[in-house]
Amino acid sequence: MSEGLGKTCAIFFLTLLFALPLGIIVALLRMSKNKVVSNVTRFIISVLRGTPLMLQLLAVTYGPYYLFGWSVSRKKLIPVVIAFAINYAAYFAEIYRGGIESVPKGQNEAAEVLGYSKFQTFVRIIIPQVFKRILPSVTNEVVTLVKDTSMAFTVSYQEMFTIGKQIANSQTSFLPFVVAGVFYFLFNAIVDFGMGRIEKRLDYYKI
């Protein structure tokens, strides 16, 4: 099951690598003063949040074949990560947006009076406060991601749960499922501990 463990970790880390920064971009587009850009982004977020991740995995993996006749890639990690990253970016975008909008507008005005540019205000004043405010919500999504990696089985990607299921069927034993469950629990415990440590480091910054 070590191979499945590695593939599960790959889905997890690559998803975060792409989804976290992509979420910021989507959030800024969602908050754009241009109504067309804002409404289109809002619609896309609604679709991604309102449809099952399983469906999105199937669409990204097999959609090119049905639409354009392209062969399905043997390297299924790529479409799997794309589907996960897009899906989670939509959730992170709304978390970011809520955090940004929770910062009092007076701080922007004060920064402007002090001579800060909009970019400097956003990076030096807004972002530190937003990060502290949204950390619990981000932690919740990251924990959910650990469990959602098992959804990759829908496109026959051999991650931890899929391999555990195959072993269980071949040995007619429930033990592989128990092992997989323990792995997900421990993985979540590590993630929760790590995020908790980060949150404690930010205790000096009170809001």
Side-chain angles (χ1 to χ4, degrees), residues 15-204:
T15 297
L16 290 182
L17 178 65
F18 294 110
L20 287 170
L22 180 58
I24 295 176
I25 296 173
V26 175
L28 295 176
L29 292 175
R30 173 70 178 83
M31 298 173 64
S32 172
K33 294 181 179 180
N34 186 309
K35 293 297 182 182
V36 175
V37 173
S38 178
N39 288 333
V40 169
T41 306
R42 181 179 182 180
F43 174 75
I44 293 174
I45 291 174
S46 297
V47 171
L48 292 172
R49 297 177 68 196
T51 56
L53 175 57
M54 183 185 297
L55 177 60
Q56 294 168 32
L57 280 165
L58 292 170
V60 174
T61 304
Y62 300 113
Y65 172 77
Y66 289 110
L67 292 175
F68 310 109
W70 297 346
S71 60
V72 178
S73 175
R74 293 183 179 180
K75 297 181 179 179
K76 290 185 178 178
L77 176 62
I78 295 175
V80 166
V81 170
I82 290 175
F84 270 90
I86 293 174
N87 178 273
Y88 271 83
Y91 285 92
F92 286 138
E94 287 299 278
I95 293 174
Y96 293 149
R97 183 176 67 86
I100 293 172
E101 292 183 345
S102 69
V103 177
K105 293 183 179 180
Q107 296 194 24
N108 288 282
E109 297 171 356
E112 185 177 354
V113 170
L114 292 173
Y116 282 86
S117 66
K118 289 185 178 181
F119 179 77
Q120 290 175 321
T121 301
F122 185 73
V123 172
R124 297 183 180 181
I125 298 176
I126 305 301
I127 285 297
Q129 297 180 67
V130 169
F131 185 71
K132 177 67 168 68
R133 292 167 187 258
I134 68 174
L135 192 56
S137 297
V138 170
T139 299
N140 184 62
E141 290 300 320
V142 173
V143 168
T144 301
L145 173 59
V146 173
K147 295 177 288 184
D148 277 353
T149 56
S150 63
M151 297 291 290
F153 85 93
T154 58
V155 293
S156 302
Y157 186 69
Q158 303 293 311
E159 43 66 56
M160 185 73 172
F161 181 79
T162 303
I163 292 179
K165 183 179 179 182
Q166 292 175 348
I167 296 175
N169 290 336
S170 64
Q171 298 181 355
T172 317
S173 171
F174 193 76
L175 183 59
F177 288 120
V178 175
V179 174
V182 170
F183 159 73
Y184 287 117
F185 174 77
L186 292 177
F187 200 163
N188 268 327
I190 293 171
V191 170
D192 188 56
F193 175 78
M195 298 299 283
R197 294 283 293 182
I198 294 175
E199 194 167 350
K200 285 184 178 180
R201 284 178 177 270
L202 295 175
D203 279 347
Y204 68 89

